[in-house]
Amino acid sequence: MDQTFFKSNRRRLVKVLPDKPVVLTANALMQKRSDMAFEFWQESNFWWLTGLEEPDWVLIIEGNNEWLVRPDSTETSQIFNGSSTLDDIHRITGIDNIITGHEAKGLLDKLAKKHDTVAALGQHPHHKYFDFYQNPTQGLLQRKLKRVFNNIYDCRGDLAKLRAIKQPQEIQAIEQAVDLTVEGFRLISNKLQSYQYEYQIEADFSYFFRSNGASGHAYDPIIAAGKNACTLHYSINNSAIKAQQLLLIDVGAKISGYSADITRTYAISKPTKRQRQIHQAVEDAHHKIIGLLKPGLLIKDYQIQSDSIMKDALKIAGLYSSDSDYRKYFPHAISHGLGVDVHDSLGGFKEFKEGMVLTVEPGIYIPEESIGIRIEDDILITSDGNRNLSAKLPTNLL
């Protein structure tokens, strides 16, 4: 992605918000321990508009005018952590006006005299379900803007709509991430018998992704043997792998800022009749649900039809006798958007549209039997149906 991509994204945002200045902030570094920070991950909307992978910058847009506010940086910080030159910042973003925080304060005061309302990011729509602390920069910016402007307009939904329909270069980046992830799965699945611990598989994926040009994993990889697969976001990856277990692998590479997200469940040795039955039920449901996807399909109808298919799968597995069993054995969503974020928004649209990319990921989880099975592919909505970007990777147990 070069500066023309990010400049175009900013122009697209201005088109939908022609009468409001926009102020967005990058994420901040977060403490890991003592004087060490966690690996930095940029706020996705800020990256989509600027391409910057550095903390604490601020973007201000008013019509055709654009500014970047550089963070205050001590000499010590620059020595230890480095910093990009202003030429680097311009080359990445295509923004000429780079100002200090003091200059930004005067600029915002000037904009507030012309505009009653400023656009910024509001709370994440699912923040009340988070069991972690959010990066503080959005809240800090909101408090600053409230002291200057009369109203703050939440532009998160506008950005979600723009990002939901992928542009050709975005689709290409996702395809590259998917292709690399598929190749990694093939390498690992061909030598499953050689692994003794989950972390050995994680290490091989990490090495393969980085040595082939990816920035790394798009999310914490899930390498879950046996009952561990019943913890949906299991990421400890420290358990021994035993011959009689199934092994669930959920990984995705990140390339050029875009994510893959693929899951397969494999048998380490000859699977039992019960393991085959559950896997076949998930696999059949998986292909049926992918077959539903096309432009114009109401997302509400997709959910209803997917629920019906998954209930049938649970019936085949002998796990469904009442509605209470449904979320007991299939406790997560059937799909989510995919893009810069591995859980990208579908933009609040009521129907699927050409250019959307989403996952399909049915699963059945039976803790009392130490069985957890999920199959997940990445699907592009096309003009006349869909294309499974990860179809080259077989879904069978091996």
Side-chain angles (χ1 to χ4, degrees), residues 141-167:
L141 178 63
Q142 285 270 340
R143 289 195 285 276
K144 288 179 182 178
L145 294 176
K146 283 177 181 177
R147 293 195 291 267
V148 180
F149 293 88
N150 290 328
N151 301 295
I152 299 177
Y153 170 79
D154 183 1
C155 65
R156 187 179 290 273
D158 300 284
L159 281 161
K161 270 190 164 59
L162 291 172
R163 288 174 50 193
I165 312 298
K166 301 301 187 278
Q167 301 165 75

Side-chain angles (χ1 to χ4, degrees), residues 9-17 22 49 158-159 162:
N9 290 343
R10 295 194 295 273
R11 293 303 91 207
R12 293 172 66 201
L13 180 61
V14 167
K15 260 188 170 181
V16 299
L17 298 172
V22 178
L49 292 168
D158 300 284
L159 281 161
L162 291 172

Side-chain angles (χ1 to χ4, degrees), residues 222-374:
I222 299 169
I223 317 294
K227 191 173 183 178
N228 292 339
C230 297
T231 300
L232 300 183
H233 286 171
Y234 173 83
S235 60
I236 301 170
N237 302 342
N238 271 339
S239 293
I241 300 171
K242 299 174 182 176
Q244 71 273 21
Q245 293 175 323
L246 296 180
L247 179 70
L248 186 153
I249 302 176
D250 184 340
V251 300
K254 192 174 187 72
I255 294 181
S256 300
Y258 286 80
S259 307
D261 185 4
I262 299 173
T263 307
R264 294 292 185 267
T265 306
Y266 297 132
I268 300 301
S269 56
K270 185 178 179 180
T272 66
K273 182 179 179 182
R274 179 61 168 166
Q275 289 170 341
R276 284 188 181 278
Q277 180 194 34
I278 304 300
H279 189 276
Q280 190 65 56
V282 173
E283 189 173 17
D284 290 345
H286 180 68
H287 295 299
K288 287 177 185 175
I289 292 168
I290 290 175
L292 299 173
L293 289 167
K294 60 184 179 181
L297 173 67
L298 292 176
I299 294 175
K300 178 181 68 174
D301 289 345
Y302 171 68
Q303 185 63 60
I304 292 169
Q305 293 176 62
S306 297
D307 285 344
S308 177
I309 291 169
M310 286 307 299
K311 286 175 183 178
D312 286 343
L314 291 175
K315 289 173 185 175
I316 290 169
L319 296 168
Y320 187 90
S321 57
S322 67
D323 284 347
S324 63
D325 292 326
Y326 185 40
R327 289 308 181 193
K328 177 181 178 181
Y329 295 110
F330 176 51
H332 60 77
I334 192 64
S335 295
H336 58 76
L338 184 68
V340 179
D341 288 317
V342 73
H343 290 167
D344 234 19
S345 172
L346 290 176
F349 289 103
K350 292 185 178 181
E351 61 184 40
F352 291 110
K353 293 183 176 291
E354 180 181 359
M356 285 181 171
V357 180
L358 66 152
T359 65
V360 171
E361 49 180 307
I364 293 177
Y365 311 88
I366 320 171
E368 60 269 26
E369 297 182 41
S370 296
I371 291 176
I373 294 171
R374 181 165 66 252

